[in-house]
Amino acid sequence: QVQLVESGGGLVQPGGSLRLSCAASGSIFSINAMGWYRQAPGKQRELVAAITSGGSTNYADSLKGRFTISRDNAKNTVYLQMNSLKPEDTAVYYCTADSFQGGLDDPSAYWGQGTRVTVSS
C-alpha cells in the first residue's frame, strides 16, 4: 500500500557530505514514523534515524550528531543529511515507514529498495 523510493546515494570522500531522499507514495495516510536504516557487508542492519509525523526525531548514539533527518510533508519525502562522513559509514541505506499495524521494527513496515553510499578516497 506504500511505496518508498530512495535516491541520492553515491561516492563521497571522507569528511564530505551527502543528502539522501526518500519519496513515499500510495496509502501515505497510514504513515506515522519514517526512518533510515543501513547495512554494511558483514554487519547486521542498524537504525540510523527516525522521525514521526509530528517532527520528533531519534538518532543512533554512535552517529554523534553527524546525521540529520527531516521531512517535507507537502512532497511526502523524508531526507537524511549526512555530514563528516567516515569510511565506516559505507553501507546500503534503506528508507522505512511504519503502518497502522505496527512500528518500524514490525513485519508490516514498508521498505525501499535501498541506495548505496560509499565513503572512500
Side-chain angles (χ1 to χ4, degrees):
Q1 294 183 355
V2 173
Q3 296 80 44
L4 303 173
V5 179
E6 303 101 328
S7 62
L11 176 65
V12 63
Q13 294 185 351
S17 298
L18 206 61
R19 192 188 196 195
L20 306 182
S21 299
C22 174
S25 61
S27 301
I28 57 176
F29 65 88
S30 65
I31 298 175
N32 178 31
M34 299 184 68
W36 292 90
Y37 284 76
R38 69 183 184 184
Q39 187 167 25
K43 299 185 64 178
Q44 63 181 358
R45 187 176 60 195
E46 63 177 344
L47 174 68
V48 175
I51 185 169
T52 68
S53 60
S56 298
T57 58
N58 186 42
Y59 298 92
D61 292 337
S62 61
L63 296 180
K64 300 179 180 179
R66 295 186 296 115
F67 290 8
T68 302
I69 189 171
S70 62
R71 65 193 298 172
D72 185 337
N73 291 323
K75 297 181 179 180
N76 298 318
T77 301
V78 63
Y79 305 93
L80 183 68
Q81 178 67 46
M82 305 184 293
N83 298 324
S84 301
L85 285 165
K86 306 174 182 179
E88 64 190 55
D89 295 319
T90 296
V92 177
Y93 285 72
Y94 296 92
C95 178
T96 185
D98 66 3
S99 71
F100 68 93
Q101 295 177 315
L104 297 178
D105 60 348
D106 191 88
S108 65
Y110 302 97
W111 292 85
Q113 83 286 352
T115 185
R116 182 175 179 84
V117 173
T118 302
V119 184
S120 176
S121 300

